[in-house]
Amino acid sequence: MHSRRALLYMPGDDWKKITKSITLGVDSICMDMEDGVAITHKSEARAAIAKALRELDFGKSEKLARINPVGSGFEKEDIEAVLPFHPDGIVIPKLEEPKQIQWASEIIEAAELRYGWPVHSIRILVIVETAKGILNLKEIASHPRLDAIIFGGEDYAASVGATRTKDAVELLYAREAVIAACAAFGLQAIDIVAIDFKDLEALRKESEFGAQLGFTGKQIIHPAQVEPVQAAFTPSDEAIAHAKRIVETFEASQKEGKGAYALDGRMIDMPLLKNAQKVLERAKAAGKAERGL
Ligand code: COA
Ligand code: MG
């Protein structure tokens, strides 16, 4: 699965921002046809995204296109405009029911077969951002073409009538519900956007807290947000070294016939081993493990 620590949006009708995005070394680039684009500009966005997929070299960045919600009336033209140019994935916003994923999955599979591409080579990421979406997480998370669930904080707050605050306590239940659903089905969990893009200190804190909760990445809207978010979702050298020590000492203790043991004055047993293995997996996904840290 592609590493998606930072997932950057830009309006699909903004060619300048699309060409800027491919210079940033960002994990995922999501060209938008939904809320970042005015109703009167949907066709310009479709055409510009198709052109970008056809003509630009995205390097290592993943190429994603966000369609309008299934049921909005825009979604069919959106997906049909971009599929012939093989995006790496389609992002479906305001996702509430598994049948909306199935709708996209069938259209994608037909395109894969028509163009002779491997089936499932185009992935689906969904944004859950309504009360109904949160209630249906279990059914949503089990779809086989799904890679990730993205949590949309602003739309969710609007959906339940919450007032947004700086520390986002009003979103905690829904964020943790998304993380649990993703963990249960082996999906990536991608956290809220920090819309105050000039406040990088607040971004750093919010990103670190999201990573602590268990998110694997975060949505962003501005180039200045790339570095702090990538840093927060990459395990630190100390965390990697500690995880390696746990894995090594755990093995030795198992050989001695002990399930639990002490390391630096703290108890280590199976759940801590599993957590250490997760840290090493994330380090590897971020390209950090081979350097022998
Ligand atoms: N992707 C790529 N490039 C971006 C960018 C983005 N999301 N946001 C800003 N840039 C570029 C600008 O074009 C500018 O480029 P330049 O230096 O080559 O001229 C540079 O980064 C600095 O931008 P800045 O002037 O600080 O921001 P702005 O006032 O132009 O734009 C926003 C502010 C919020 C309108 C803009 O960041 C944006 O459109 N973000 C994405 C919005 C979106 O997609 N929303 C829907 C999903 S939540
Ligand atoms: Mg939204």
Side-chain angles (χ1 to χ4, degrees):
M1 219 185 283
H2 193 90
S3 163
R4 302 184 178 98
R5 294 165 303 173
L7 186 155
L8 173 68
Y9 294 103
M10 74 286 317
D13 57 342
D14 192 331
W15 186 251
K16 188 162 169 272
K17 289 196 174 83
I18 294 177
T19 53
K20 176 107 181 168
S21 72
I22 64 176
T23 68
L24 300 171
V26 65
D27 306 72
S28 298
I29 294 173
C30 184
M31 297 171 280
D32 187 26
M33 291 173 264
E34 198 215 3
D35 288 347
V37 176
I39 300 272
T40 51
H41 273 228
K42 300 293 184 194
S43 53
E44 281 86 346
R46 291 178 192 132
I49 296 169
K51 181 177 153 76
L53 291 170
R54 202 168 53 229
E55 294 179 5
L56 300 181
D57 180 0
F58 284 72
K60 285 191 182 150
S61 300
E62 182 183 41
K63 309 172 269 196
L64 301 174
R66 181 165 84 169
I67 62 173
N68 281 279
V70 180
S72 66
F74 292 117
E75 70 275 20
K76 192 158 183 291
E77 271 188 80
D78 290 345
I79 201 167
E80 284 175 353
V82 299
L83 278 182
F85 308 103
H86 202 293
D88 296 317
I90 296 290
V91 178
I92 314 176
K94 306 205 172 60
L95 201 288
E96 296 192 320
E97 294 175 298
K99 68 176 185 216
Q100 297 170 312
I101 309 181
Q102 194 49 32
W103 171 84
S105 184
E106 284 169 18
I107 293 181
I108 292 171
E109 183 153 336
E112 288 168 340
L113 294 172
R114 184 162 61 245
Y115 294 103
W117 300 326
V119 170
H120 285 198
S121 60
I122 299 176
R123 309 301 304 164
I124 293 179
L125 293 81
V126 299
I127 312 183
V128 167
E129 49 191 342
T130 61
K132 207 168 166 190
I134 293 295
L135 286 184
N136 289 340
L137 270 171
K138 188 173 162 189
E139 289 72 31
I140 291 168
S142 60
H143 196 283
R145 197 183 282 265
L146 208 59
D147 266 10
I149 299 179
I150 299 167
F151 177 61
E154 305 308 319
D155 275 292
Y156 181 76
S159 152
V160 300
T163 304
R164 286 286 283 115
T165 63
K166 203 128 186 99
D167 59 8
V169 274
E170 67 284 357
L171 301 180
L172 199 51
Y173 163 73
R175 283 163 96 189
E176 293 184 329
V178 167
I179 291 165
C182 287
F185 291 92
L187 305 176
Q188 295 170 341
I190 303 179
D191 203 9
I192 54 176
V193 175
I195 56 173
D196 189 357
F197 62 87
K198 298 224 186 279
D199 190 347
L200 295 182
E201 195 37 46
L203 174 70
R204 218 174 284 278
K205 279 199 196 123
E206 191 177 282
S207 305
E208 279 165 14
F209 181 61
Q212 259 174 41
L213 289 178
F215 280 105
T216 55
K218 188 172 178 68
Q219 305 164 83
I220 59 173
I221 51 157
H222 192 276
Q225 295 182 318
V226 175
E227 189 280 324
V229 167
Q230 287 182 335
F233 288 95
T234 305
S236 67
D237 293 354
E238 298 76 56
I240 295 171
H242 186 62
K244 284 194 164 169
R245 268 189 80 208
I246 291 179
V247 171
E248 286 157 15
T249 52
F250 190 90
E251 222 166 87
S253 116
Q254 286 285 313
K255 280 193 188 127
E256 285 170 27
K258 278 191 278 181
Y261 63 100
L263 182 67
D264 303 336
R266 297 183 66 214
M267 183 202 69
I268 306 293
D269 66 356
M270 189 55 94
L272 281 95
L273 173 75
K274 287 187 181 156
N275 220 329
Q277 286 166 335
K278 275 236 150 71
V279 169
L280 296 179
E281 272 169 34
R282 285 180 189 183
K284 194 168 169 209
K288 228 178 151 180
E290 294 79 28
R291 302 213 306 265
L293 289 164

